């Protein structure tokens, strides 16, 4: 079957846009093919700085013929309706239509046959549309045509379009079309400097091989592998090891078509600056990798760069140019760092009085005071030193006003730790300056030092309560203040450090410190707890656990100790994985369903204790006895927070529940017996609520 080769050759595409653009090209072309009835076998897209390329193989040479039936008017309908039907279906007369019988009458049915077109003609139709509607985040117009209405918008000036189509065994044809004066063909170009001559290509294998010969590595994954391998080997040869950086690797692979790895150096005196600052400087300004001494683990005064050319001087000029820029940038970073050290962190804090955190929540200085106050309240609950926690909360945000963080925002917190240590602060206080932002994502580390945990909780809870108070809650996919992330951070801090906290009480304390109060302040803590429940479900789902169990536990009410909720959910999940758990759930659901039907029918509930005198069957008596024992045993276990024991107690209900439903007819002819048995079913539901609301659990 024929294959398609498509290349869009342009000026340099920004590295950050390449991966998505390649995926968009693949998706748009293949979606259109399928919509046109051309089901393909496989497709793969590629990107380099100067081209997007796509190969789609196994495309049918021709669309299938389409036969569709169109329902027309009733037999005997007015002539105008009949003529419209004939025109729409292309039939010459009603003799060519068939009649379909229907309860509403007889209708004319027209068979429309649409012959399929050659795939190459379909491609010539859809590809220009895709190119013109390509979803670049930013695009531009250029040249003499740019002033004309409808001229092409592209990320950078588009120079050539390669489009060929044909089977492997034959010479492919050019898919002929034109976009803004650029005609499709089978000519592409190699490396801008090393092989700039035009190249004639036929199909993908030929195209990829000729580009490689012309110093262009088409596959970005292959470029990444080459860069990483060469960089590691070059560092190893000099006695160092590469500090790997996946994001930087992705970016650098998008800047070069023919990667050439080189090593440069800088003066050792710059190593007095913190490693993270050196790395940020070299990474951000020159897109270079740093290396470290494997013996000490500290950075070495070397860096690795990736050029896009094989220079005749072995890269000496390129290395010298990068060294010159990096030396200047490191000099600036060293100056910023040394300047920052001259001013103590607390001496910077008055500036926060002029910096607004949020127009409704006051200044950053006011927020810091709130965090200090909340940290002092949380510290005893976490087992942290109150004075240290308050001091850490006081200083934690100060590094935001330093020169280094102003230049490199990604090192905020970390620089606070360095400056705190430099001015003689306690190690726990310094660590909290860095760690109070954590965890910032599911893969981020959770602080374990009590002082860090306290400040991290205070910071996140103040943020959540503050934005809840001014009704700036997340909506749909929008979460501009990262409140979902903050809630997940609180959950992880509590769960992974095994902390016993009442979320409602802590939220109430945070609310008391706010100058702005919501219209209904009493509802805020419980509303926030519901938000935590939703986030907890998300986290459990990501961990492969059942999120419906969170609903079952929260439905009991009064549950605001997140650690106990997590432990109860875990125990419930293990119980429901057993045969006893599954069968008890089925029995409880059956009891609930019967109760719901009968309560609706009788328009009443069946609360209250059953009358033991009305038990006539052994199964009733056994179930009633088991419920009494299990309810007491499970409640006692829950009170001791032994959820595994509570689940074991619940398991004892399974045999009598099964026996009851096997032998007992609930809707007895005697109304009193029927009511008593329904009350007994309600007792099953009540007993299981000692551990969870089983009605919330999905089958």
């Amino acid at each position: 079957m024929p294959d398609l080769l498509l290349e869009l050759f342009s000026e340099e595409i920004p590295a950050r846009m390449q991966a998505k653009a390649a995926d968009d090209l693949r998706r748009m072309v293949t979606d259109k093919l399928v919509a046109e009835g051309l089901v393909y076998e496989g497709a793969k897209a590629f990107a380099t700085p100067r081209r997007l390329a796509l190969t789609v193989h196994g495309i049918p040479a021709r669309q299938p013929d389409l036969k569709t039936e169109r329902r027309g008017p009733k037999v005997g309908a007015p002539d105008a309706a009949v003529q419209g039907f004939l025109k729409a279906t292309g039939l010459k007369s009603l003799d060519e239509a068939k009649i379909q019988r229907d309860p509403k009458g007889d209708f004319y049915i027209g068979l429309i046959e649409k012959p399929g077109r050659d795939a190459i003609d379909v491609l010539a139709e859809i590809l220009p549309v895709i190119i013109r509607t390509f979803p670049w985040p930013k695009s531009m117009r250029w040249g003499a045509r740019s002033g004309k209405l409808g001229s092409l918008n592209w990320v950078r000036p588009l120079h050539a379009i390669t489009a060929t189509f044909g089977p492997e065994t034959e010479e492919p044809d050019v898919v002929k079309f034109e976009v803004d004066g650029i005609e499709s063909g089978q000519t592409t170009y190699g490396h801008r400097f090393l092989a700039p001559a035009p190249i004639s290509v036929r199909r993908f294998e030929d195209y990829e091989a000729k580009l490689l010969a012309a110093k262009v590595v088409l596959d970005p994954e292959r470029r990444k592998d080459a860069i990483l391998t060469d960089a590691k080997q070059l560092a190893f040869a000099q006695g160092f090891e590469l500090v790997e950086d996946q994001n930087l690797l992705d970016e650098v692979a998008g800047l070069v078509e023919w990667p050439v790895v080189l090593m440069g150096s800088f003066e050792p005196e710059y190593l007095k600056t913190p490693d993270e600052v050196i790395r940020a400087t070299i990474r951000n300004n020159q897109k270079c990798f740093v290396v470290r001494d494997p013996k000490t683990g500290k950075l070495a005064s070397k860096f690795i760069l990736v050029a896009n050319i094989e220079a005749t001087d072995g890269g000496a000029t390129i290395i010298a140019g990068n060294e010159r820029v990096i030396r200047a940038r490191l000099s600036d970073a060293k100056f910023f760092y040394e300047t920052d050290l001259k001013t103590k962190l607390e001496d910077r804090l008055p500036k926060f009085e002029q910096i607004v955190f949020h127009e409704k929540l006051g200044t950053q200085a006011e927020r810091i005071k709130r965090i200090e106050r909340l940290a002092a309240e949380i510290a005893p609950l976490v087992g942290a030193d109150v004075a240290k926690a308050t001091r850490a909360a006081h200083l934690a945000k100060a590094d935001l006003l330093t020169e280094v963080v102003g230049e490199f925002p990604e090192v905020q917190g970390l620089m606070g730790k360095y400056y705190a240590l430099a001015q003689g602060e306690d190690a726990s206080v310094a660590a909290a300056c860095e760690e109070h932002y954590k965890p910032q994502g599911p893969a981020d580390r959770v602080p374990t030092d009590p002082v860090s945990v306290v400040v991290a909780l205070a910071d996140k809870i103040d943020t959540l309560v503050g934005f809840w108070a001014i009704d700036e809650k997340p909506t749909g996919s929008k979460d501009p203040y990262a409140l979902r992330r903050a809630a997940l951070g609180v959950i992880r801090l509590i769960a992974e450090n095994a902390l016993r906290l009442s979320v409602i009480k802590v939220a109430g304390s945070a609310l008391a410190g706010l100058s702005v109060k919501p219209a209904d302040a009493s509802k805020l803590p419980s509303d926030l707890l519901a938000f935590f429940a939703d986030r907890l479900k998300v986290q459990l789902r990501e961990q492969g656990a059942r999120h419906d169990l969170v609903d079952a536990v929260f439905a009991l009410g009064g549950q605001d100790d997140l650690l106990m909720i997590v432990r109860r959910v875990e125990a419930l999940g293990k119980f429901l994985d057993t045969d006893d758990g599954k069968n008890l759930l089925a029995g409880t659901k059956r009891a609930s369903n019967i109760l719901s039907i009968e309560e609706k029918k009788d328009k009443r509930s069946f609360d209250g204790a059953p009358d033991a005198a009305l038990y006539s069957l052994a199964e009733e008596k056994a179930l009633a006895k088991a419920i009494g024992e299990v309810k007491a045993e499970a409640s006692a276990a829950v009170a001791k927070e032994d959820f595994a024991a509570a689940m074991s107690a619940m398991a004892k209900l399974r045999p009598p529940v099964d026996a009851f439903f096997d032998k007992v007819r609930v809707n007895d002819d005697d109304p009193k017996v029927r009511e008593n048995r329904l009350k007994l079913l309600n007792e099953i539901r009540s007993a299981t609520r000692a551990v969870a609301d089983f009605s919330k659990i999905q089958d």
Side-chain angles (χ1 to χ4, degrees):
M1 297 177 81
D3 299 340
L4 168 69
L5 168 63
L6 175 66
E7 183 202 66
L8 305 172
F9 181 78
S10 68
E11 294 294 332
E12 274 72 6
I13 303 167
R16 68 183 184 279
M17 299 183 187
Q18 291 171 19
K20 184 178 183 302
D23 188 60
D24 285 341
L25 182 63
R26 179 194 55 77
R27 174 183 52 80
M28 294 174 76
V29 172
T30 54
D31 284 356
K32 281 286 189 181
L33 287 173
V34 172
E36 294 289 343
L38 296 170
V39 180
Y40 61 97
E41 292 179 1
K44 191 170 183 181
F46 305 89
T48 80
R50 294 206 298 161
R51 69 199 80 225
L52 291 180
L54 173 71
T55 175
V56 186
H57 61 272
I59 303 173
R62 186 177 178 81
Q63 285 178 314
D65 295 338
L66 296 178
K67 293 183 179 181
T68 58
E69 289 187 347
R70 178 161 179 164
R71 181 167 167 165
K74 281 185 178 182
V75 174
D79 185 62
V82 171
Q83 293 303 318
F85 168 65
L86 293 174
K87 183 177 181 181
T89 56
L91 302 180
K92 295 179 181 178
S93 70
L94 290 177
D95 294 337
E96 297 179 359
K98 64 180 182 179
I99 296 175
Q100 184 180 73
R101 299 194 178 280
D102 189 275
K104 296 182 180 180
D106 295 343
F107 290 84
Y108 290 113
I109 300 294
L111 182 63
I112 304 174
E113 296 188 16
K114 184 180 179 182
R117 294 187 295 162
D118 289 339
I120 195 168
D121 295 331
V122 176
L123 288 167
E125 183 179 282
I126 66 175
L127 293 180
V129 175
I130 290 171
I131 294 170
R132 285 190 174 278
T133 59
F134 200 80
W136 291 110
K138 292 184 179 180
S139 56
M140 61 186 293
R141 294 180 294 173
W142 62 92
R145 293 178 177 271
S146 62
K148 295 181 179 179
L149 188 65
S151 60
L152 178 66
N153 281 299
W154 199 249
V155 64
R156 294 291 185 269
L158 186 64
H159 292 313
I161 301 171
T162 298
T164 66
F165 181 75
E168 293 182 8
T169 56
E170 300 175 13
E171 187 70 19
D173 295 316
V174 173
V175 182
K176 294 184 179 179
F177 60 90
E178 173 266 338
V179 178
D180 215 39
I182 304 169
E183 295 185 359
S184 60
Q186 54 189 116
T187 300
T188 186
Y189 300 87
H191 193 281
R192 183 187 291 275
F193 304 111
L194 301 176
I199 304 168
S200 179
V201 296
R202 298 190 302 277
R203 56 182 53 83
F204 178 72
E205 291 75 13
D206 168 64
Y207 165 77
E208 186 177 33
K210 286 185 176 178
L211 280 183
L212 188 61
K215 306 296 186 182
V216 174
V217 178
L218 180 65
D219 190 341
E221 293 304 319
R222 188 173 172 183
R223 295 199 300 275
K224 291 178 194 177
D225 289 344
I227 292 168
L228 187 59
T229 300
D230 290 353
K232 284 182 175 179
Q233 290 178 350
L234 184 56
F236 181 76
Q238 299 291 324
F240 305 115
E241 63 181 15
L242 179 73
V243 177
E244 295 187 36
D245 186 331
Q246 185 60 50
N247 291 332
L248 179 59
L249 180 62
D250 292 342
E251 184 176 7
V252 170
L255 296 173
V256 297
E257 290 191 320
W258 188 253
V260 177
V261 177
L262 304 168
M263 179 178 280
S265 62
F266 54 87
E267 285 73 13
E269 67 181 85
Y270 294 122
L271 295 176
K272 297 175 183 177
T273 309
D275 286 0
E276 293 83 0
V277 177
I278 295 172
R279 184 177 177 183
T281 301
I282 293 175
R283 182 192 195 282
N284 294 359
N285 290 292
Q286 287 303 102
K287 313 302 179 190
C288 295
F289 297 87
V290 294
V291 298
R292 62 182 161 227
D293 186 336
K295 297 177 183 177
T296 64
K298 299 290 289 181
L299 291 188
S301 57
K302 301 283 185 180
F303 63 90
I304 288 178
L305 64 98
V306 182
N308 190 35
I309 190 172
E310 293 176 345
T312 55
D313 63 356
T317 303
I318 297 172
I319 293 171
N322 278 270
E323 287 177 340
R324 194 161 49 247
V325 175
I326 284 176
R327 190 177 297 117
R329 295 289 183 253
L330 288 176
S331 178
D332 290 343
K334 182 172 179 289
F335 173 77
F336 292 150
Y337 178 63
E338 292 174 349
T339 300
D340 287 339
L341 288 173
K342 295 175 183 178
T343 304
K344 288 192 172 184
L345 290 174
E346 62 262 44
D347 293 341
R348 300 178 183 277
L349 295 177
K351 290 185 180 179
F352 279 132
E353 295 175 4
Q354 281 76 49
I355 299 174
V356 175
F357 171 66
H358 188 282
E359 60 179 351
K360 295 181 181 179
L361 295 174
T363 64
Q364 188 72 275
E366 291 173 318
R367 180 165 186 260
I368 290 171
K369 289 178 181 177
R370 293 198 303 268
I371 295 173
E372 285 182 53
R373 176 181 167 277
L374 193 57
E377 293 188 22
I378 295 175
L381 305 176
V382 175
D385 184 281
V386 176
K388 291 180 181 179
T390 305
R391 178 64 175 171
H394 183 66
L395 299 177
K397 303 294 182 183
D399 70 335
L400 295 174
L401 297 173
T402 63
E403 298 286 345
V404 170
V405 175
E407 184 73 14
F408 306 110
E410 65 268 30
V411 296
Q412 66 184 28
L414 178 65
M415 296 312 300
K417 180 185 78 172
Y418 282 126
Y419 296 140
L421 290 172
Q423 69 183 41
E425 297 291 340
D426 182 87
S428 292
V429 173
C433 290
E434 176 190 8
E435 296 180 332
H436 79 283
Y437 290 108
K438 297 180 178 295
Q440 292 186 309
D444 198 12
R445 177 176 60 85
V446 174
T448 55
D449 183 275
V451 175
S452 296
V453 172
V454 167
V455 183
L457 283 170
D459 183 32
K460 291 171 177 59
I461 291 173
D462 175 78
T463 299
L464 287 161
V465 171
F467 284 106
W468 239 252
I470 62 174
D471 200 27
E472 289 281 0
K473 305 170 187 175
T475 57
S477 61
K478 295 182 179 179
D479 187 11
Y481 302 109
L483 301 182
R484 292 187 179 96
R485 186 176 70 186
L488 282 171
V490 171
I491 291 169
R492 288 189 64 198
L493 283 162
I494 290 174
E496 295 184 30
N497 285 290
L499 303 179
R500 304 299 305 275
L501 291 176
S502 166
V503 172
I504 288 180
K505 288 182 181 178
V506 175
S509 297
L511 180 61
L514 285 174
S515 58
V516 59
K517 296 291 188 292
D520 193 348
S522 62
K523 285 187 176 181
L524 187 147
S526 57
D527 286 349
L528 193 56
L529 181 62
F531 183 66
F532 276 114
D534 288 339
R535 293 301 93 203
L536 184 56
K537 283 189 283 187
V538 170
Q539 178 167 312
L540 288 173
R541 186 165 57 241
E542 290 175 350
Q543 294 173 353
R546 292 175 53 175
H547 64 277
D548 58 320
L549 304 187
V550 178
D551 287 332
V553 172
F554 268 99
L556 299 179
Q559 307 290 314
D560 73 333
D561 185 330
L562 295 181
L563 179 64
M564 289 301 100
I565 290 169
V566 169
R567 289 180 176 173
R568 187 181 293 213
V569 167
E570 290 173 350
L572 183 58
K574 291 177 181 177
F575 175 57
L576 293 175
D577 284 338
T578 66
D579 288 339
D580 283 342
K582 292 172 184 174
N583 288 325
L584 180 59
L585 175 61
T588 305
K589 290 254 184 175
R590 185 175 176 184
S592 295
N593 291 338
I594 293 171
L595 278 168
S596 297
I597 293 170
E598 299 307 316
E599 286 171 346
K600 186 176 181 181
K601 184 193 300 181
D602 293 6
K603 297 182 179 178
R604 56 162 292 193
S605 61
F606 292 93
D607 299 327
D611 185 352
L614 292 174
Y615 296 148
S616 59
L617 299 175
E619 288 78 11
E620 290 178 282
K621 297 174 183 177
L623 177 58
K625 181 182 178 183
I627 287 173
E629 293 173 353
V630 166
K631 189 184 290 188
E633 189 177 338
S635 297
V638 168
K640 292 188 293 184
E641 298 176 356
D642 187 350
F643 300 116
M647 300 304 160
S648 296
M650 284 289 109
K652 297 176 183 178
L653 272 181
R654 177 200 168 180
V657 167
D658 289 348
F660 179 86
F661 282 119
D662 284 342
K663 303 293 184 180
V664 178
R665 179 168 166 254
V666 175
N667 286 318
D668 193 83
D669 294 333
D670 185 334
K672 290 184 178 179
V673 172
R674 170 181 174 272
E675 179 179 345
N676 205 57
R677 288 175 178 173
L678 288 171
K679 286 183 176 180
L680 189 55
L681 292 188
N682 190 61
E683 288 292 293
I684 298 175
R685 188 165 60 180
S686 175
T688 56
R689 285 183 67 86
V691 294
D693 185 347
F694 276 44
S695 67
K696 300 291 185 182
I697 301 173
Q698 299 173 5
D699 293 332

